[in-house]
Amino acid sequence: MIRDEISVSIQTLRWKCIESRAYSERLHYGRFALSPLRKGRADTIGIAMRRVLLGEVEGTCITHVKLENIKHEYSAIIGIEESVHDILMNLKEIVLRSDSYGIQGASICIVGPRNVTAQDIILPPSVKIIDTTQHIARLTKSITSDIRLQIEKNRGYIIHSPNNYQDGIFPIDAVFMPVRDANYSIHSYGSGNEIREVLFLEIWTNGGLTPREALSEASRILIELFIPFLHGEEQNIDGMNNRKGSNMPPFPLSHVLTDTGETKEKKIAFQHIFIDQLELPPRVYNCLRRANIHTLSDLLNYSREDLMRIERFGKESVEQVFEILRKRFAIDPPRN
């Protein structure tokens, strides 16, 4: 069956798009195959690709909304059917695509009565709305709706603190990830020393990127991650050469969080490593999430004593977390 679906060549590694569908503007599906692979390589590639697809591929969304003369998220606006909270949730659902980085501005200026949809947003030239039918609000009276939006391209997600509103500016919990889900499966063929594998990748996106574009972007990110290892000389770490055969001491937390140029890059990198990538036990993971610890950067702001204060987080859980930090990142956070 697999041989019929994919033409397999022992000499050349090839990939192929087997299936591509657009169920709606905001749900795209793609199925891809890579073959032939030696035994074990398919799993290595599949794990890496899935993690990068779900956590590293960048997307664009609305991060802040400005409403004049509004002080609270649950305020009611005269002449608008929805509350401020409902309007913010509707804006959060809008899927955008942008080729530009940095923060950009957009606006909505509508005179009622009428329905306001994503099509009414005035956007910068580099930004495109995927589904223009997304409902935002319904104006029931002859009023003017003036809403200012802040758009940003980033990766992962940003969780804002509740009640963090200033001058009518409301932050939105931003989910930048255009890949909704990603799975992989492996099929083997041959026998003995001639066993070969076919890697199948399934990708679902929100339309901000097509599955094919997401696959290409994830591949580029993985390649860039390994480029430093191609350099002839090893990089200096904390001012010391990591010579062959030497034991590198764990980084103290103070070194990780200082503001030198090199450590600033590390801090940025830690912001994009989510705790679900640390392979923590489910109970430990859930406790950290309830404490609003979502990334490695968040976790490094906590000492042993801080973690012990988290509800249902005991000494054993603390040791499990710190053991992972030592093994995977050579980080030894302080006790206090």
Side-chain angles (χ1 to χ4, degrees), residues 252-270:
L253 188 65
S254 59
H255 288 188
V256 176
L257 296 182
T258 52
D259 285 331
T260 64
E262 184 180 355
T263 53
K264 277 185 178 179
E265 294 179 359
K266 294 174 186 173
K267 287 170 65 178
I268 294 172
F270 291 158

Side-chain angles (χ1 to χ4, degrees), residues 15 54 74 86 93 229 304:
W15 76 276
L54 293 175
Y74 294 98
D86 293 333
E93 293 296 318
F229 294 106
R304 292 175 183 266

Side-chain angles (χ1 to χ4, degrees), residues 6-7 15 18-19 37 53 61 89 96 107 119 141 165 177 203 214-215 225-226 244 258 261 266-267 287 298 308 333:
I6 304 171
S7 58
W15 76 276
I18 299 173
E19 187 176 357
L37 294 163
L53 283 165
C61 61
M89 292 300 100
L96 301 172
S107 63
Q119 187 174 5
K141 296 183 178 181
Y165 314 128
M177 299 174 286
I203 303 172
L215 182 64
L225 287 175
F226 289 105
K244 186 177 180 180
T258 52
K266 294 174 186 173
K267 287 170 65 178
C287 288
D298 297 336
M308 290 289 288

Side-chain angles (χ1 to χ4, degrees), residues 20-289:
S20 179
R21 298 181 188 176
Y23 293 99
S24 66
E25 294 286 347
R26 293 189 287 179
L27 181 57
H28 291 233
Y29 170 79
R31 186 167 184 250
F32 307 90
L34 179 67
S35 66
L37 294 163
R38 291 184 180 179
K39 186 176 180 181
R41 290 185 176 181
D43 197 44
T44 300
I45 298 173
I47 292 173
M49 287 297 293
R50 184 175 186 275
R51 287 191 172 184
V52 173
L53 283 165
L54 293 175
E56 298 290 331
V57 177
E58 296 179 332
T60 305
C61 61
I62 298 170
T63 57
H64 291 79
V65 179
K66 184 173 183 179
L67 300 167
E68 297 292 344
N69 303 319
I70 302 297
K71 296 183 178 180
H72 196 275
E73 179 183 359
Y74 294 98
S75 300
I77 305 176
I78 297 175
I80 298 181
E81 189 174 289
E82 291 81 2
S83 67
V84 173
H85 175 77
D86 293 333
I87 294 173
L88 296 178
M89 292 300 100
N90 290 337
L91 289 170
K92 182 179 177 180
E93 293 296 318
I94 294 176
V95 179
L96 301 172
R97 180 189 178 109
S98 174
D99 299 324
S100 300
Y101 288 87
I103 297 174
Q104 302 182 76
S107 63
I108 303 173
C109 189
I110 296 295
V111 178
R114 59 166 294 180
N115 286 325
V116 182
T117 65
Q119 187 174 5
D120 298 310
I121 300 176
I122 302 172
L123 293 167
S126 61
V127 181
K128 175 186 176 183
I129 295 175
I130 300 303
D131 183 7
T132 57
T133 64
Q134 169 65 39
H135 177 74
I136 298 175
R138 174 173 171 75
L139 276 60
T140 58
K141 296 183 178 181
S142 181
I143 62 170
T144 300
S145 174
D146 189 7
I147 303 174
R148 303 292 171 176
L149 308 175
Q150 180 176 298
I151 296 171
E152 185 177 346
K153 185 173 183 178
N154 209 324
R155 67 187 65 180
Y157 56 89
I158 298 176
I159 306 297
H160 292 283
S161 301
N163 303 320
N164 186 20
Y165 314 128
Q166 296 179 353
D167 300 326
I169 299 176
F170 298 85
I172 296 179
D173 292 343
V175 181
F176 297 101
M177 299 174 286
V179 178
R180 287 188 171 186
D181 198 4
N183 290 321
Y184 75 93
S185 59
I186 301 170
H187 296 274
S188 302
Y189 61 94
S191 60
N193 294 330
E194 297 299 323
I195 292 179
R196 293 292 184 268
E197 295 178 338
V198 182
L199 172 65
F200 291 97
L201 279 167
E202 293 182 289
I203 303 172
W204 291 262
T205 70
N206 63 1
L209 289 178
T210 65
R212 186 187 292 260
E213 289 172 330
L215 182 64
S216 175
E217 179 67 11
S219 302
R220 183 191 63 79
I221 292 170
L222 279 174
I223 291 170
E224 289 184 353
L225 287 175
F226 289 105
I227 283 177
F229 294 106
L230 298 177
H231 295 166
E233 297 182 358
E234 298 180 37
Q235 300 295 318
N236 288 344
I237 300 177
D238 198 28
M240 299 175 62
N241 279 326
N242 182 23
R243 293 194 179 100
K244 186 177 180 180
S246 64
N247 293 322
M248 183 179 68
F251 286 106
L253 188 65
S254 59
H255 288 188
V256 176
L257 296 182
T258 52
D259 285 331
T260 64
E262 184 180 355
T263 53
K264 277 185 178 179
E265 294 179 359
K266 294 174 186 173
K267 287 170 65 178
I268 294 172
F270 291 158
Q271 291 173 3
H272 300 301
I273 299 176
F274 299 96
I275 61 173
D276 56 359
Q277 297 174 257
L278 303 183
E279 299 179 357
L280 296 165
R283 189 181 66 79
V284 175
Y285 170 78
N286 291 331
C287 288
L288 294 176
R289 287 294 301 272

